[in-house]
Every structure is written in C-alpha cells, then in structure tokens.
Amino acid sequence: MVKSDSMKKEVNKFIYFYRFLATANMFTRTRRLRNSKLLREIVRNVRLSIDELIYPIFVEEGENIREEISSMPGQFRFSLDRLAPELDELKSLGIKTLLVFGIPKHKDPIGSEAYNPNGIVQQAVRFIKKNYPNFLVITDVCMCEYTSHGHCGILEGCDVQNDSTIKYIAQIAVSHVEAGADIVAPSDMMDGRILAIREALDEKGFINTPIMAYSVKYASNYYGPFRDAADSAPSFGDRKTYQMDYRSSKEYYREVEADIEEGADFIMVKPALAYLDVIKAVENISLPLVAYNVSGEYSMVKAAALNGWINEQGIVMENMYALKRAGVELIITYHAKDIATWVKNGEVTL
C-alpha cells in the first residue's frame, strides 16, 4: 500500500510537470469571446427588457398643466386633462407599468387628501384604468406630498408617530386599490406598515392585491430633485429617524426580513446606484427584487449630458445593466421613456 501511494505521487508529479511545460509559453486569451458584436451578443448572460422598467409619472391637481420639472429635464407634472398624450406615447413605446405620484392643491397636518376617495391619485388611477386598461398601475403610498409639514406621517411635536401613522398609511392604500390600483407601494418607512396594509386590504376583500415594499430606503441626498417634483420637502428637520442610515451595513437585513414576514410581495432598494452592494446582498430573496433609480441619479446624468460631458445613452444603459448584474429584476427609472425610444429607433439593442 505504501509503495502504491508512493507511485501515485510520482505519477502525479510527472503529470503536473508536463502540464506546466505545455502551458509555460501560453496565456489566457479572454478576448476570443469579445472578438465580434455577434459573438459578444451570444455569450452575454445579463439581459434587460422594456417589460422590466417602471416609469414614474407626476399628476397634479388642476387644469391645463404640463410643466417641466426644472431639476429633472425631460420630466413633467401633468394635470389629468393633459395626461392622455403622455400615456399614448408611453403605450406606443411599449412601456407597460407606471408608478403614480400625486400633487394636491390642499395640504394639512394629517394629509387628508392622500386618502380622499376623490384625491388626485385616486382620480388618476380611475382615468388610467378606464382609458388605458392595459397599463399596470402602481401607486406610491405615503403622506409627504399631502402634509403641510412635509413629513411622511402624523406629528406629535416634531416627532413622526409610527403607530398612529400606519393607520393612515393603510387607509391610503385601501383608497388607491378601491380606485383601481393594481399594486400599492408604501414608501413611508414606518415600522409595521406592511402588516397594517395587508390586513386592511384583506379585510376589504383585496386579498390578491400585491404590496411593493420600499423595504430598504435610505435617508439619501439623491432625493433632492424629486422633492421639487412632488413638493414634498420637509418644512423642518429631516427624515433620518424613519429612513435608513447609509453608514450602517446591517439593518437592511432586518428591514427585508420584517417586510417579507408581514406580507410584502416585492422588495425594493432605494436609491439604486450607490447601493449596489445592498442589492447584491439581498438578491437571493424569494420575492421579486426592485431598484429605484432615483431622481438625483437621473438628474446627474441629464445635467452631464446636457453639458456634453458624457455619452448619455451609453451611461444610462451601463447603469441599467449594472443594476441587472447586481441581481435586480425590476427597475423604477425616469430613463425608461428614453430607453424605450432608443430601442424603438434601433439605437439600442437590449
């Protein structure tokens, strides 16, 4: 036995030696698989589809409004009477999923227009589902656009009250679904909101309505342009007591686990590009993973492109594939309309 083992070792030495001699004058030619466009296309393993893009739209209470958002070039606020041409264009481009935000005329401390059955989001949902039934409509469920103080919940002094807020959040979600929303997406970051919404929807018979949870939402500096778009900047303080601290690399696990346990059907990470590590860390969850490519990320690309500093089309597509490579299945992005236009014109192949 000893002799046999010794012989095996000697044979293995010769095998390794001859392999070394055979490869001593060679190197790995990884460029072989990048040698032509067609070859690159057939070996790539990251894919993107227009069906995976969700386009945010801003609907404002009033009439004859089509106002470009100054800090978000190419994005507009629409009144309902000016919304149809935009929806026609999105439909022609093959965009199928919308995320609806509302800007009301009236704001008060309890955000009453958010859950008004005839509020601006509720009206917009009814309009879209009646005239464009093939759109999948997601609604943002929050209070910041509707409160006079700009915070995402009910205040006691200067503190946002968690448990009283989630009752309102659930009421908002129900009102959106009663208007016809296909999916509700709570973005307030109150603890327990997913359970409160699930119970409220189920009680009303909406057991099949999914919840897209803003599970991992950071207190980010990338939201500035959105607050211009939605008139949602807080009138004092910040949102760091309820949105997440970007200096922590632990708490997103708890947020995701809690939302899954409470009944979420989608898990979202927001912002997107500065949090690819977080996306990668949670990519193996059992639910669809969504990333929100937020307003600041969009506006930085647009500003640089308008100044001629970057190739906008190239940068946008690189960003989208970065998100897909990290593990995202759906992307909320203000670039969706541009991407669909480039594809339709044959400028980009997905």
Side-chain angles (χ1 to χ4, degrees):
M1 179 66 75
V2 174
K3 184 176 181 182
S4 177
D5 288 344
S6 177
M7 289 177 63
K8 287 180 180 178
K9 289 180 181 178
E10 290 300 318
V11 170
N12 285 336
K13 285 181 181 179
F14 279 113
I15 291 173
Y16 294 140
F17 176 69
Y18 283 114
R19 283 180 179 170
F20 171 75
L21 289 178
T23 61
N25 295 317
M26 296 178 62
F27 50 84
T28 303
R29 292 188 181 273
T30 56
R31 289 180 57 186
R32 288 185 184 129
L33 298 182
R34 303 194 291 265
N35 200 37
S36 70
K37 181 178 179 181
L38 182 57
L39 189 54
R40 293 190 297 273
E41 287 292 323
I42 66 170
V43 300
R44 71 182 179 131
N45 65 340
V46 182
R47 305 279 171 177
L48 178 67
S49 166
I50 297 296
D51 291 345
E52 297 167 336
L53 303 180
I54 300 169
Y55 190 59
I57 59 171
F58 298 94
V59 185
E60 182 174 0
E61 193 173 1
E63 295 180 352
N64 198 31
I65 299 169
R66 184 183 182 274
E67 178 185 354
E68 187 169 23
I69 300 160
S70 60
S71 58
M72 298 178 68
Q75 299 299 306
F76 295 81
R77 292 176 13 169
F78 298 93
S79 54
L80 282 179
D81 59 330
R82 297 289 300 273
L83 190 57
E86 178 74 359
L87 296 175
D88 288 334
E89 184 178 9
L90 294 173
K91 181 180 176 181
S92 72
L93 291 171
I95 293 172
K96 299 176 181 177
T97 308
L98 308 174
L99 175 58
V100 180
F101 295 92
I103 301 98
K105 284 184 177 179
H106 172 74
K107 301 189 180 196
D108 58 38
I110 59 172
S112 58
E113 283 300 303
Y115 44 88
N116 179 353
N118 201 37
I120 184 58
V121 166
Q122 292 82 349
Q123 290 185 54
V125 170
R126 285 193 289 268
F127 176 84
I128 295 168
K129 297 308 289 186
K130 178 182 178 181
N131 298 289
Y132 300 85
N134 291 328
F135 278 118
L136 187 72
V137 177
I138 308 169
T139 56
D140 179 76
V141 176
C142 196
M143 302 186 75
C144 60
E145 300 105 309
Y146 304 90
T147 55
S148 51
H149 47 74
H151 278 283
C152 301
I154 304 302
L155 293 183
E156 185 175 301
C158 293
D159 296 324
V160 176
Q161 298 301 295
N162 190 91
D163 295 6
S164 57
T165 295
I166 61 176
K167 297 174 184 178
Y168 287 90
I169 295 297
Q171 190 175 346
I172 297 167
V174 168
S175 74
H176 288 183
V177 178
E178 287 177 336
D182 298 295
I183 300 171
V184 289
S187 61
D188 56 289
M189 286 302 287
M190 299 298 124
D191 295 336
R193 73 207 189 283
I194 302 302
L195 180 60
I197 292 171
R198 185 72 275 157
E199 290 178 344
L201 290 176
D202 290 355
E203 185 179 336
K204 292 288 187 177
F206 299 118
I207 60 173
N208 292 319
T209 300
I211 300 172
M212 180 179 287
Y214 284 67
S215 300
V216 183
K217 180 180 178 180
Y218 287 90
S220 174
N221 296 288
Y222 285 97
Y223 301 149
F226 175 90
R227 290 171 183 170
D228 292 339
D231 290 340
S232 63
S235 60
F236 67 90
D238 54 43
R239 295 176 178 150
K240 292 181 179 179
T241 64
Y242 44 103
Q243 295 178 0
M244 294 165 59
D245 188 341
Y246 57 77
R247 299 170 300 177
S248 173
S249 63
K250 299 286 186 183
E251 62 181 347
Y252 58 81
Y253 288 113
R254 297 183 67 194
E255 295 285 358
V256 170
E257 288 171 356
D259 284 355
I260 292 174
E261 290 172 0
E262 291 177 22
D265 301 282
F266 300 81
I267 297 297
M268 187 194 303
V269 176
K270 177 185 179 182
L273 297 174
Y275 297 90
L276 293 175
D277 60 317
V278 177
I279 292 169
K280 191 67 179 176
V282 300
E283 67 169 328
N284 291 322
I285 60 171
S286 58
L287 301 178
L289 183 58
V290 186
Y292 197 145
N293 178 212
V294 298
S295 60
E297 296 169 333
Y298 169 87
S299 294
M300 288 192 299
V301 171
K302 280 291 182 181
L306 288 170
N307 278 285
W309 297 336
I310 60 169
N311 174 345
E312 179 182 359
Q313 189 179 99
I315 291 285
V316 169
M317 298 313 300
E318 190 172 342
N319 287 344
M320 295 302 106
Y321 278 99
L323 294 171
K324 291 290 292 181
R325 196 172 61 246
V328 161
E329 289 150 297
L330 299 169
I331 304 171
I332 302 168
T333 179
Y334 303 96
H335 295 294
K337 188 174 174 182
D338 286 337
I339 294 169
T341 301
W342 298 333
V343 171
K344 184 176 182 179
N345 293 341
E347 299 171 51
V348 165
T349 302
L350 298 182

